[in-house]
Each structure stands twice: as structure tokens, then as C-alpha cells.
């Protein structure tokens, strides 16, 4: 078929989410109780850094990254395109929406075009709070994410699964004024929460604490655009224990639930490569190589 539906997996038909989640989707790497960096356990932020071509990763992260890339070669493109979406979304929020405050949860290891850099390239006075639960991320963030003197950055050791801790942190309130609009930035993080973690509820709780005129920018991995044969091979690798799964893919309908009650900015929900792209269609990668949804929406 001309639309490619003959080679792509539809989520409901080819991807058994319930079995995936119950058997393989429950693992999310967290820091050790001591707060030390565990170099023997794969961490998604370090693996993502590896896919982006960074050096802040360990052998276990590279091995995991290579295993996934062997089955799904598009994953490195996905990582790059997801990162590019972050820059476009934040600049849109700062320039067109006039946002000056950002709450970035699931920061990841600093790379090019970080949230405060994108925002402060438009508005030097922009203020950003970064949140992550990995000590390596926080060490790098404090060392590298230096704000423009006109603005401010702060760093919280917290988890998306505990929004109350984030909202109660005095460093958040010292940096952001929650009576004024805030952009909640959740880039490639909600897919690390299982259904038992109630990701839609956690995001809604954070949005509830933000005033009218606030925004949500969110991306999430999906298998909606991945060819059937690759999805089936991924399943086989997980089932055989040869590859560990720590991200839960969700389809378009599940992704859309994060934006319930919000006003989507154009072009609405789209693969990240199709969200306000800066290159012509012929220069964009195939959807199969960047199967991750993105959207930006305003709280009325």
C-alpha cells in the first residue's frame, strides 16, 4: 500500500502491551541507596548519551545500546531527532508562546541544545529547573548547565513518579514563580514509567499545580511506525532474555491522553520529525527510524 501500512505494525494487532509490561516493562534503573553511580547496571540516560555520540557512558550502557541498535537500527536516529525536537519545542515556547519558566523533568546527561540554552537563546532571562533521579546526571548538570547571568537554573534530585516531592522542593520555588506560566518539559521520560507507575496521573498532578497559560512539551516512544518484522524481532529478543526492556511503548491514543484538556499547538500530535520541521520532507528520516511522538500544548 502507498501509505506503508503493509510493512508497519499497528500497535493493537502486533504489539501485546499487557504481556510486554507485565513481563519486561517493569524495570527502571534507579540510583543505588548510597547515591553512588552504579557502573554495572544499564542506565537509560547514559545509553541515550551513547546513541547521541557522547562519552558519558559505561561499557554496560554501550553494550545495551548496541544490542538494541542491532535489532532496531533506527534508534540512533530516533535519539537525534528527539533531541532536535527539544530544541525546536523550547524555542517555540520561549519565542512564540512567551514562556520564561521551564520545569524539565528527566533531564538526562547534558548534550547540545539543552533546555536553558534553547530558551535563553531567545530570552536570556529564562529560568529553568532541571529534575533527574540519577547522580551522574546531576553531577554533569551542575558542572555544565550554566545559566545566562540574566536567568537562572536549579537542579533537583527527584523522580517523575513522585510529583509531590518535586512540587514541595524549596529550590523549585526559589527559581520558578508558580503563579506565572511554566512549561513542563518531559522529553523521552514517560515511556520509562509502567502503567503501575500511573504516568498520566503523575503528569496531570504536575499540570494541576501550574497556572493557566502553562504548557506541556512531551515526547514518547511508540512502535506505531516500526516495521512489523522489527517489532516481532524485538519481542523475541526480550522473551529470550537476550535484551532487557526498560521503555514501555505507547500508541497514539495513549500518548494523546497526556494532553487531555489542553490546547495543542500546531501541528498537534505528530512524529517528532514532523513537528515544525526545519528541513524539507526529502531530508527527513523515515518515520520508522524515528518512531517517537511529540506534541506541545497549552493549559487553558
Amino acid at each position: 500500500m502507498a501509505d506503508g501500512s503493509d510493512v508497519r505494525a499497528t500497535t493493537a494487532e502486533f504489539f501485546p502491551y499487557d504481556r510486554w509490561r507485565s513481563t519486561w516493562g517493569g524495570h527502571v534503573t534507579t540510583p543505588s541507596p548510597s547515591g553512588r553511580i552504579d557502573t554495572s547496571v544499564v542506565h537509560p540516560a547514559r545509553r541515550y548519551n551513547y546513541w547521541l555520540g557522547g562519552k558519558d557512558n559505561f561499557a554496560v550502557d554501550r553494550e545495551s545500546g548496541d544490542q538494541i541498535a542491532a535489532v532496531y537500527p533506527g534508534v540512533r536516529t530516533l535519539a537525534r531527532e528527539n533531541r532536535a525536537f527539544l530544541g525546536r519545542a523550547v524555542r517555540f515556547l520561549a519565542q512564540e508562546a512567551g514562556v520564561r519558566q521551564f520545569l524539565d523533568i528527566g533531564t538526562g546527561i547534558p548534550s547540545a541544545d539543552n533546555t536553558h540554552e534553547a530558551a535563553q537563546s531567545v530570552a536570556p532571562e529564562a529560568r529553568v529547573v532541571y529534575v533527574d533521579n540519577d547522580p551522574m546526571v546531576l553531577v554533569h548538570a551542575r558542572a555544565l548547565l550554566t545559566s545566562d547571568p540574566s536567568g537562572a537554573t536549579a537542579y533537583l534530585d527527584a523522580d517523575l513518579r513522585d510529583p509531590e516531592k518535586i512540587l514541595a522542593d524549596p529550590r523549585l520555588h526559589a527559581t520558578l514563580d508558580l503563579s506565572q506560566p511554566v512549561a513542563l518539559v518531559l522529553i523521552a521520560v514517560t515511556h520509562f514509567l509502567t502503567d503501575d507507575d500511573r504516568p498520566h496521573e503523575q503528569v496531570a498532578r504536575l499540570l494541576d499545580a501550574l497556572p493557566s497559560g502553562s504548557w506541556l512539551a512531551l515526547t514518547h516512544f511508540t512502535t506505531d511506525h516500526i516495521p512489523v518484522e522489527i517489532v516481532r524481532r524485538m519481542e523475541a529478543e526480550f522473551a529470550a532474555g537476550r535484551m532487557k526492556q526498560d521503555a514501555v511503548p505507547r500508541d497514539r491514543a495513549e500518548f494523546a491522553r497526556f494532553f487531555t484538556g489542553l490546547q495543542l499547538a500546531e501541528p498537534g500530535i505528530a512524529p517528532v520529525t514532523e513537528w515544525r520541521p526545519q528541513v524539507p520532507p526529502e531530508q527527513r528520516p523515515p518515520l520508522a527510524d524515528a518512531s517517537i511522538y511529540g506534541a506541545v500544548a497549552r493549559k487553558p
Side-chain angles (χ1 to χ4, degrees):
M1 295 174 63
D3 65 358
S5 59
D6 56 328
V7 297
R8 292 181 188 144
T10 61
T11 300
E13 182 178 359
F14 294 109
F15 213 85
Y17 283 101
D18 291 341
R19 177 162 62 80
W20 179 289
R21 290 167 180 167
S22 63
T23 308
W24 306 108
H27 175 76
V28 178
T29 306
T30 55
S32 66
S34 65
R36 295 175 181 173
I37 298 168
D38 188 344
T39 63
S40 67
V41 177
V42 178
H43 194 282
R46 300 194 308 253
R47 185 178 58 207
Y48 184 61
N49 174 263
Y50 172 58
W51 285 331
L52 287 172
K55 300 183 182 302
D56 299 310
N57 48 73
F58 300 109
V60 66
D61 308 304
R62 296 188 289 273
E63 180 181 359
S64 173
D66 289 342
Q67 286 175 334
I68 294 173
V71 178
Y72 176 36
V75 72
R76 290 188 174 90
T77 300
L78 183 152
R80 291 193 298 270
E81 294 297 331
N82 180 72
R83 190 72 185 183
F85 170 91
L86 168 65
R88 295 197 305 275
V90 170
R91 282 188 288 274
F92 160 79
L93 289 165
Q95 187 163 14
E96 296 188 38
V99 177
R100 295 295 180 265
Q101 302 188 110
F102 296 81
L103 175 56
D104 183 332
I105 302 176
T107 302
I109 294 170
S111 184
D113 216 12
N114 300 288
T115 297
H116 77 285
E117 292 169 329
Q120 293 178 352
S121 71
V122 175
E125 70 276 19
R127 306 173 73 83
V128 179
V129 171
Y130 288 108
V131 181
D132 207 284
N133 69 342
D134 181 71
M136 182 173 181
V137 168
L138 294 171
V139 166
H140 281 270
R142 292 188 177 101
L144 299 176
L145 302 184
T146 305
S147 173
D148 186 287
S150 302
T153 55
Y155 318 95
L156 310 186
D157 181 2
D159 194 300
L160 176 58
R161 286 164 288 201
D162 190 359
E164 301 303 332
K165 179 181 178 181
I166 296 171
L167 294 170
D169 195 301
R171 289 167 295 181
L172 173 71
H173 296 276
T175 309
L176 305 182
D177 177 1
L178 298 192
S179 70
Q180 299 298 314
V182 175
L184 176 61
V185 180
L186 300 171
I187 302 299
V189 61
T190 50
H191 53 229
F192 293 115
L193 275 63
T194 66
D195 283 353
D196 288 343
D197 292 320
R198 308 187 312 281
H200 296 93
E201 292 180 33
Q202 311 295 17
V203 173
R205 173 66 189 97
L206 289 163
L207 287 170
D208 284 346
L210 305 180
S212 174
S214 292
W215 291 77
L216 172 64
L218 191 148
T219 66
H220 196 298
F221 174 57
T222 183
T223 58
D224 284 359
H225 306 104
I226 299 178
V228 173
E229 61 271 18
I230 292 180
V231 174
R232 287 173 173 164
R233 187 178 171 194
M234 289 166 65
E235 286 192 276
E237 293 295 303
F238 297 142
R242 291 187 292 267
M243 199 165 68
K244 181 169 285 188
Q245 165 65 14
D246 50 18
V248 180
R250 293 184 170 93
D251 63 15
R252 191 184 188 283
E254 291 180 296
F255 179 77
R257 283 182 56 202
F258 288 108
F259 299 91
T260 300
L262 305 182
Q263 300 167 338
L264 286 162
E266 291 293 335
I269 293 171
V272 294
T273 53
E274 305 301 310
W275 196 89
R276 298 179 177 242
Q278 296 177 331
V279 297
E282 63 272 16
Q283 295 181 21
R284 299 172 209 159
L287 294 185
D289 290 346
S291 191
I292 184 167
Y293 283 121
V296 177
R298 181 181 183 276
K299 179 178 177 179

